[in-house]
Amino acid sequence: MRSEFVTGISGLAKRLTSTPATTRESAITRMERGGALTHLMSSLEHLANGKERQAGGVNNWEITRDNSLVTSAAGRRFLDFIARPEATAAVHVARIAAAAAVLAPRSSPSLRTAANGALAASSVVMHPRHHYGTDGSDQVSFLASAAAFVARSAGKRTAVTDHVLWAVALQATLSYAVSGWAKLAGRSWREGTALSGVTRTMTYGDRRFWELTQRFPRLARLLGVSVLALECTFPLAYAARGRLANGYIAGTTAFHLGVGQVMGLGRFVPSFMSMHGPVQYTARPSSDTEVEGRRDDSLLRTSALVGAGLIALAVQTRQANRRRALAGRGDERQLELRDGNRITYRVTGTADESTPVFVLENAMLSTTEHWEWFVRALGDHGTVVTYNRPGYAGSTARRGTAIVVDDLVGGLTEVVEHVAAHRPVVLVGHSLGGYIALRAVDRLDRAPLAVCLVDSTHSEELKRSPRQDLGAKSVSDGLSLITPTLAAGAGLLLEVPAWVRSMPREAQASMLAQYRDARMWRAAKREWHAILRDFRNPPRLPRSDVPILSLSAERTVVEDEAQGAMHRELADLSSAGRHVVVRGADHDSIVTERHTAEAAVSEILEFVEVASSAHSDRAHEEVA
């Protein structure tokens, strides 16, 4: 018995480390059948879940129609026709018939070609109809059917077929590798605890599996780390003349079967397995094709050249973007802080010394440009000072130095001392900037006229708000992933955020350059670590005689009652405090959208006027 077991293990190991025997024809067949089976399962699911397309369903056409990218009148009329219940059902029945034709063992090549084309075309047609609920399996099955259609249509032109198989194989390799490297940024995946978290959710949960991860945590960690290693190193399937390909395919197949069982993602199994045949075919040596003739690898060479060109372009673009980010707006001044850091700042607005100096403190991951609407609205009422903390834009941070929140507070106090002279000062801080401004009150040589907190951070928010605590984990993972990605030159891959487009045109180019520059994200990462250290044992915020205005974005208080309560507490730190909700604003738009920013500034100016009057009255009383 023991010898048979050893023989079996030895045979399995030999098969997993042998050169794949996949032929051109078998690769196409496996690819098209995997795609067809996914389409079949998808259509059956849609026919069985007709309620999703009725009133109140997630794919009710009255709702999804407005989200379609098709804008032409003819295209809209066609989609309206397809969206009719009988038309939708007819398309799915036709897809089932086409999938059956591909899966049938003795279908003719011409029938398979037509069926693959029909499946690919119907995927495009039905995507707007089933806008919600589609996932990666639908995208991969479309790729498989479209690729099989082209390969079958090529006939004896094997070079075209090889190009198609290489395209699918490269897509599969990229999909696994990128998925793995994206997971690598998450601490839970690196520590091996991610599987437990994933399987306890309502959407993709499995109680039995989750209980097993709790009973056997070491095994759960081993499985999680194994998935991470498998995906990250998937390109090694092409190493050693393809001898590792079978092992990687076996590993990913087991992974997809497990995902299908545990998470209920059954369509992922055949869809991703449809790409395994092309991987095994292209992983074998190009000359090892037996009677099929030598494989054409020109697409691989072309892809390598294109990839090298893209890398060169990424490096060049990163350098150009860095120069643009450092250049700023052109009117910045410089100040060297006592700790050796050098910051850039802007002074705008009126120079009338009878008016206050508004010093604006940025949120994390923000630069002076984010305040543009505030700067414009405040400019007629005082001098407006904005600055970039060390590491942002043109401000420099000393290398290798860890920071604490007191460093950020110290920077603000030095800026105030430098720009305000004898004039009254109003501190305005957004998000983290609000927390910094509040902490700076006791550090200033003289009390500010007022402190205005714009949807401010609170020192206890991670302890008292589950929403903020969950968001903090996402921030940590995001900063860990995006910083090295941008440093590698992938800034062009970041979409132009909506908040950039909402800003004045003259500020947009500089904002986008900052957003795509790794320096800003690296500076934010340093600050984030300092914040987390500070918030583990948050200092008690003292009561103050300085008037405090706490502005909350409406969405903040609606979506997170705990955060709204903390904003009210910030106002209550002062006997002259006030809490106001800015209607229609969220955490970002309260600064970046013109109408909400102007509404916030209006509240600030009214509050400052009252504070200024009270200050004048006290001064007169002291003189008297």
Side-chain angles (χ1 to χ4, degrees):
M1 179 68 70
R2 182 178 180 182
S3 61
E4 291 178 357
F5 176 76
V6 172
T7 301
I9 293 297
S10 177
L12 178 61
K14 185 176 181 180
R15 290 182 60 185
L16 293 178
T17 56
S18 62
T19 301
T22 305
T23 64
R24 185 179 290 118
E25 175 59 29
S26 64
I28 298 173
T29 301
R30 289 169 59 185
M31 178 174 66
E32 66 184 359
R33 286 182 173 173
L37 182 55
T38 308
H39 289 301
L40 175 64
M41 295 170 64
S42 176
S43 286
L44 289 173
E45 288 178 8
H46 283 302
L47 289 176
N49 296 322
K51 291 183 178 180
E52 293 182 354
R53 297 185 293 278
Q54 297 174 4
V58 296
N59 277 310
N60 177 254
W61 186 239
E62 296 301 320
I63 304 299
T64 56
R65 186 180 192 274
D66 294 334
N67 295 319
S68 173
L69 297 178
V70 178
T71 57
S72 67
R76 288 280 186 168
R77 286 195 298 271
F78 175 74
L79 290 180
D80 287 338
F81 172 77
I82 292 295
R84 296 178 180 178
E86 60 275 12
T88 298
V91 172
H92 281 301
V93 170
R95 282 165 56 83
I96 292 171
V102 174
L103 294 170
R106 295 187 179 182
S107 297
S108 65
S110 58
L111 179 58
R112 290 190 177 192
T113 302
N116 283 315
L119 290 171
S122 61
S123 294
V124 176
V125 170
M126 297 304 292
H127 179 72
R129 183 68 184 92
H130 303 300
H131 181 74
Y132 299 105
T134 56
D135 51 34
S137 65
D138 298 286
Q139 298 164 16
V140 174
S141 60
F142 165 75
L143 172 65
S145 295
F149 171 73
V150 175
R152 292 290 185 197
S153 300
K156 295 182 179 181
R157 291 173 291 178
T158 57
V160 174
T161 303
D162 288 341
H163 294 340
V164 169
L165 293 174
W166 263 115
V168 175
L170 291 174
Q171 176 62 58
T173 303
L174 185 64
S175 297
Y176 285 121
V178 170
S179 176
W181 286 99
K183 289 186 179 73
L184 194 61
R187 180 180 301 176
S188 61
W189 279 102
R190 296 196 303 272
E191 295 176 349
T193 59
L195 287 181
S196 177
V198 170
T199 56
R200 68 174 297 177
T201 64
M202 293 179 63
T203 305
Y204 298 119
D206 185 288
R207 183 179 183 86
R208 291 171 300 177
F209 186 83
W210 179 78
E211 290 175 347
L212 287 175
T213 64
Q214 302 308 297
R215 289 176 56 191
F216 306 102
R218 290 185 179 180
L219 179 59
R221 285 195 292 270
L222 177 61
L223 286 174
V225 172
S226 296
V227 169
L228 189 62
L230 179 71
E231 291 186 326
C232 287
T233 63
F234 191 86
L236 292 179
Y238 287 87
R241 296 176 60 83
R243 291 191 182 92
L244 302 180
N246 287 339
Y248 272 95
I249 295 303
T252 52
T253 298
F255 167 68
H256 289 304
L257 288 171
V259 168
Q261 172 62 34
V262 174
M263 300 178 66
L265 298 175
R267 281 186 284 150
F268 274 72
V269 178
S271 64
F272 278 87
M273 287 177 64
S274 69
M275 298 191 291
H276 291 172
V279 170
Q280 289 175 302
Y281 171 70
T282 55
R284 63 190 298 186
S286 60
S287 57
D288 183 19
T289 52
E290 300 175 354
V291 297
E292 291 187 309
R294 189 178 183 88
R295 189 183 65 226
D296 189 320
D297 290 344
S298 57
L299 181 65
L300 175 63
R301 293 189 290 271
T302 301
S303 299
L305 291 174
V306 171
L310 290 175
I311 292 173
L313 177 63
V315 172
Q316 182 181 7
T317 303
R318 182 188 63 182
Q319 293 172 343
N321 194 75
R322 173 66 56 82
R323 289 192 295 270
R324 181 70 186 84
L326 293 175
R329 302 286 292 278
D331 60 352
E332 287 85 356
R333 308 178 189 184
Q334 291 193 352
L335 171 66
E336 184 170 346
L337 303 179
R338 286 188 283 270
D339 60 8
N341 292 322
R342 186 181 294 273
I343 65 164
T344 59
Y345 68 98
R346 298 180 71 221
V347 179
T348 58
T350 178
D352 183 355
E353 294 195 356
S354 65
T355 61
V357 178
F358 294 91
V359 180
L360 312 187
E361 182 66 34
N362 305 333
M364 190 179 77
L365 268 176
S366 298
T367 56
T368 58
E369 289 81 3
H370 285 73
W371 288 109
E372 191 65 21
W373 293 123
F374 270 64
V375 169
R376 295 185 178 205
L378 289 170
D380 292 336
H381 304 275
T383 300
V384 185
V385 178
T386 56
Y387 77 101
N388 294 304
R389 291 194 294 269
Y392 289 88
S395 298
T396 57
R398 290 183 297 126
R399 289 183 174 272
T401 56
I403 63 171
V404 294
V405 172
D406 279 346
D407 295 328
L408 308 180
V409 175
L412 172 59
T413 59
E414 288 190 55
V415 170
V416 172
E417 292 167 2
H418 180 73
V419 301
H422 58 279
R423 295 171 60 185
V425 174
V426 176
L427 300 181
V428 182
H430 175 224
S431 191
L432 172 64
Y435 179 64
I436 295 172
L438 200 58
R439 289 277 300 273
V441 171
D442 292 337
R443 296 271 293 271
L444 293 171
D445 292 337
R446 53 192 175 85
L449 179 62
V451 178
C452 302
L453 312 176
V454 183
D455 217 47
S456 177
T457 297
H458 190 288
S459 59
E460 296 183 358
E461 64 183 35
L462 301 186
K463 292 185 175 181
R464 294 168 55 182
S465 169
R467 183 184 181 89
Q468 292 296 321
D469 183 51
L470 182 61
K473 295 179 175 61
S474 299
V475 170
S476 297
D477 290 347
L479 290 173
S480 298
L481 173 63
I482 294 178
T483 303
T485 301
L486 294 181
L492 280 175
L493 299 179
L494 288 180
E495 294 184 32
V496 179
W499 48 263
V500 169
R501 293 192 292 269
S502 70
M503 299 299 291
R505 185 176 299 277
E506 54 269 30
Q508 291 183 13
S510 183
M511 289 186 76
L512 186 59
Q514 309 290 353
Y515 178 67
R516 290 175 169 173
D517 185 17
R519 287 182 73 254
M520 184 174 81
W521 295 83
R522 194 176 294 118
K525 188 176 180 180
R526 292 172 67 237
E527 292 181 347
W528 181 242
H529 289 160
I531 296 165
L532 292 180
R533 287 193 297 270
D534 203 58
F535 284 8
R536 289 193 187 101
N537 187 23
R540 186 177 182 82
L541 296 175
R543 294 191 61 80
S544 175
D545 293 330
V546 176
I548 297 174
L549 172 64
S550 179
L551 296 175
S552 293
E554 182 178 23
R555 284 191 58 182
T556 298
V557 298
V558 168
E559 296 176 356
D560 191 346
E561 293 182 2
Q563 191 74 0
M566 285 183 278
H567 285 176
R568 290 190 291 273
E569 288 179 10
L570 293 177
D572 291 340
L573 291 173
S574 169
S575 57
R578 184 184 179 199
H579 177 249
V580 177
V581 176
V582 179
R583 302 300 175 188
D586 61 26
H587 183 68
D588 292 319
S589 71
I590 195 172
V591 172
T592 59
E593 291 283 351
R594 181 173 183 173
H595 68 284
T596 49
E598 290 178 346
V601 169
S602 178
E603 295 289 348
I604 289 173
L605 291 175
E606 180 182 336
F607 185 78
V608 170
E609 184 178 358
V610 173
S612 181
S613 297
H615 179 76
S616 297
D617 292 342
R618 286 195 301 272
H620 289 149
E621 291 175 1
E622 291 174 0
V623 170

